[in-house]
Amino acid sequence: MKLLTQNSAQSRWLFSASADERLIRWNLEAVMTVDPLDYACDWVQDYLTTHADLGDETRQICD
């Protein structure tokens, strides 16, 4: 992965490019205000609710 940034006090974007030729533009203001725990819980919510092999304690990790 290659990272391309603009060096200025007003930079709002981070661009990343990967070997599979994808280019992603990241809004730095939005990225820097994300709550990591909320983001992670949103990301795993479907997994926690649909996998029957998980115990109740694991299912409630984000409650």
Side-chain angles (χ1 to χ4, degrees):
M1 177 191 303
K2 295 183 180 187
L3 299 178
L4 311 169
T5 61
Q6 177 183 352
N7 295 325
S8 77
Q10 298 152 346
S11 292
R12 287 190 57 198
W13 307 106
L14 171 71
F15 294 86
S16 62
S18 59
D20 64 0
E21 298 182 358
R22 285 190 299 164
L23 177 67
I24 301 173
R25 180 181 71 173
W26 303 87
N27 180 331
L28 290 178
E29 185 177 327
V31 169
M32 297 307 289
T33 59
V34 169
D35 180 303
L37 184 57
D38 285 343
Y39 180 82
C41 285
D42 286 344
W43 191 67
V44 299
Q45 191 61 42
D46 287 339
Y47 176 82
L48 294 174
T49 58
T50 59
H51 282 72
D53 58 330
L54 297 175
D56 288 339
E57 184 176 314
T58 302
R59 288 183 192 281
Q60 297 170 359
I61 197 167
C62 290
D63 292 342

